[in-house]
Amino acid sequence: MTKLEKDLRDEWRKLRATYPERLAGCSFKINGRFKTKLGVCRSRRSDGMPVSVELARMCVVDEAMREQAFDTLYHETAHALAGHAAGHGPEWKAMCRKLGANPERLANLTSDQRAV
């Protein structure tokens, strides 16, 4: 486990402790399959409750991506907290700002970062 991955996992634990009612059943995962996205928040279809916040492996192996990795963690956690129906709308943007994330829908990756 890289130092960056450890730091992200520690931050996830803090977020879960801060928002236990919304993140209680939600897990944090590193996904090695992502090639073009940095993260995702998965929710149950029936009630929209968050199931997992997942970050791409490329986020946790390159210390140069530290800022982007944390922004992605906050971005996806904002989805979990705002709810699936919020999409990238005002409620989600407000939660992003509260967590310290850039409330933009997409990250800009260089071709080098996509190749990781």
Side-chain angles (χ1 to χ4, degrees):
M1 180 182 306
T2 66
K3 178 176 180 351
L4 178 53
E5 182 177 349
K6 181 191 177 305
D7 292 347
L8 288 162
R9 289 183 184 282
D10 289 345
E11 185 64 14
W12 170 252
R13 281 189 280 281
K14 289 177 191 173
L15 289 165
R16 282 195 56 186
T18 303
Y19 300 98
E21 68 288 341
R22 187 70 185 160
L23 299 177
C26 190
S27 64
F28 176 74
K29 298 177 182 178
I30 304 301
N31 192 320
R33 295 185 205 179
F34 295 164
K35 302 297 181 207
T36 59
K37 61 184 169 185
L38 295 179
V40 69
C41 175
R42 299 193 193 277
S43 300
R44 286 192 301 255
R45 291 177 192 240
S46 59
D47 61 8
M49 289 297 290
V51 174
S52 67
V53 167
E54 300 179 26
L55 295 185
R57 172 124 341 256
M58 71 178 112
C59 279
V60 302
V61 296
D62 185 356
E63 189 63 35
M65 288 192 67
R66 176 173 281 273
E67 186 176 326
Q68 185 68 56
F70 274 91
D71 191 67
T72 302
L73 174 64
Y74 298 139
H75 173 117
E76 301 306 339
T77 302
H79 280 299
L81 295 170
H84 179 74
H88 288 102
E91 291 176 56
W92 171 80
K93 286 181 181 184
M95 187 53 69
C96 273
R97 288 185 191 99
K98 185 174 182 177
L99 296 177
N102 179 9
E104 297 297 323
R105 184 167 181 255
L106 299 172
N108 292 318
L109 293 178
T110 66
S111 58
D112 290 343
Q113 288 169 323
R114 283 189 215 107
V116 173

